[in-house]
Amino acid sequence: MSTVLVVEDEARIASFVSKGLRAAGLSVEVTGSGRQAVARACQEGIDLILLDVGLPDVDGFEVLERIRGQGVSTPVIMLTARSSVEDRVAGLSGGADDYVAKPFAFEELLARVRLRMRPQGREPGGGSATRLTHRDLVLDLRTRRILADGSWRDLSAREFALAETFMRNAGMVLSREQLLGAVWGIDFDPGSNVVDVYVSYLRSKIGRERLETVRGMGYRLV
Ligand code: CA
């Protein structure tokens, strides 16, 4: 399993991001300290680093400089509320691989994480990391298509994120709030019916009966 080191001192964001990454099947370690981040990044076992710029002790750019100075080549995605061009240039020229400005939707962050994640050479057969299966459903994480009833169907970005969340939690009831957080991001209006709308889109692609409505609770992939 790939491990992401989340370096973020804001508890709400750290918790939101790590929950989402875990739901997406990744292992997560969290620290709010730049110094601890440098120490951890220089050890084995981290496949990608999400690095906040504003940290209480050593700022994100300094952390990046130190770990690259130690010869650590682990992919780094910088997170910051500051979206100025100077920050972007500083982050990328300092050895960051990508840059995500806050506020962001979780889906966008996850897409970047997947793109930048160091390839896993240890998966037996090489195929298990790129496809999720549940009964006769197959979700291809690279092409972002789903196989249902023997044919491949294209998915929009949101449909894909929703399908992935259901596939990784097959058989479990997922509430609208959980789905909103995983697919649309923490700041989305919880009163919105967007989840129901996208569940109906997904049903039209994979078959209505596969996504069960659990009255008063949410939805379940059966
Ligand atoms: Ca911060």
Side-chain angles (χ1 to χ4, degrees), residues 10 14 31 34 36 42 54 61 74 76 115 121 131 144 168 178:
E10 233 174 294
T31 177
Q36 280 178 16
C42 292
F61 294 124
T74 310
V76 171
L115 192 68
R131 287 187 173 186
R144 303 191 146 220
R168 292 201 188 271
Q178 286 173 312

Side-chain angles (χ1 to χ4, degrees), residues 7-184:
V7 188
E8 169 63 81
D9 59 309
E10 233 174 294
R12 193 179 78 116
I13 297 176
S15 152
F16 161 64
V17 168
S18 41
K19 273 184 201 156
L21 293 173
R22 287 192 185 108
L26 297 163
S27 167
V28 179
E29 294 182 26
V30 181
T31 177
S33 148
R35 271 193 203 95
Q36 280 178 16
V38 173
R40 183 64 190 92
C42 292
Q43 297 163 356
E44 292 291 297
I46 300 295
D47 300 290
L48 185 137
I49 302 167
L50 288 180
L51 180 56
D52 184 33
V53 169
L55 295 168
D57 51 356
V58 181
D59 86 13
F61 294 124
E62 176 78 30
V63 169
L64 182 62
E65 202 179 307
R66 289 192 194 176
I67 65 176
R68 290 292 185 248
Q70 298 283 321
V72 174
S73 61
T74 310
V76 171
I77 300 175
M78 306 288 290
L79 299 178
T80 181
R82 292 183 262 163
S83 54
S84 70
V85 174
E86 300 90 271
D87 272 4
R88 185 178 293 262
V89 170
L92 295 177
S93 67
D97 297 273
D98 209 341
Y99 186 96
V100 176
K102 295 176 187 173
F104 51 84
F106 183 74
E107 183 208 345
E108 185 203 347
L109 181 69
L110 184 61
R112 304 238 189 161
V113 166
R114 289 204 189 293
L115 192 68
R116 302 294 174 185
M117 181 74 74
R118 177 185 287 173
Q120 293 282 292
R122 283 162 279 146
E123 299 281 349
S128 54
T130 59
R131 287 187 173 186
L132 296 176
T133 55
H134 174 65
R135 298 183 164 184
D136 66 325
L137 284 179
V138 180
L139 183 69
D140 191 310
L141 302 178
R142 295 226 168 128
T143 63
R144 303 191 146 220
R145 294 196 305 168
I146 195 161
L147 180 70
D149 299 319
S151 63
W152 287 99
R153 291 118 203 262
D154 290 322
L155 298 172
S156 71
R158 300 274 195 212
E159 289 166 356
F160 171 80
L162 192 60
E164 181 179 4
T165 306
F166 278 119
M167 297 280 283
R168 292 201 188 271
N169 300 282
M172 286 162 57
V173 179
L174 299 175
S175 69
R176 284 177 181 77
E177 291 71 28
Q178 286 173 312
L179 292 167
L180 261 184
V183 178
W184 283 270

Side-chain angles (χ1 to χ4, degrees), residues 198-209:
Y198 274 84
V199 164
S200 76
Y201 291 163
L202 193 56
R203 277 174 168 161
S204 72
K205 297 198 172 170
I206 66 173
R208 179 163 188 85
E209 68 293 344

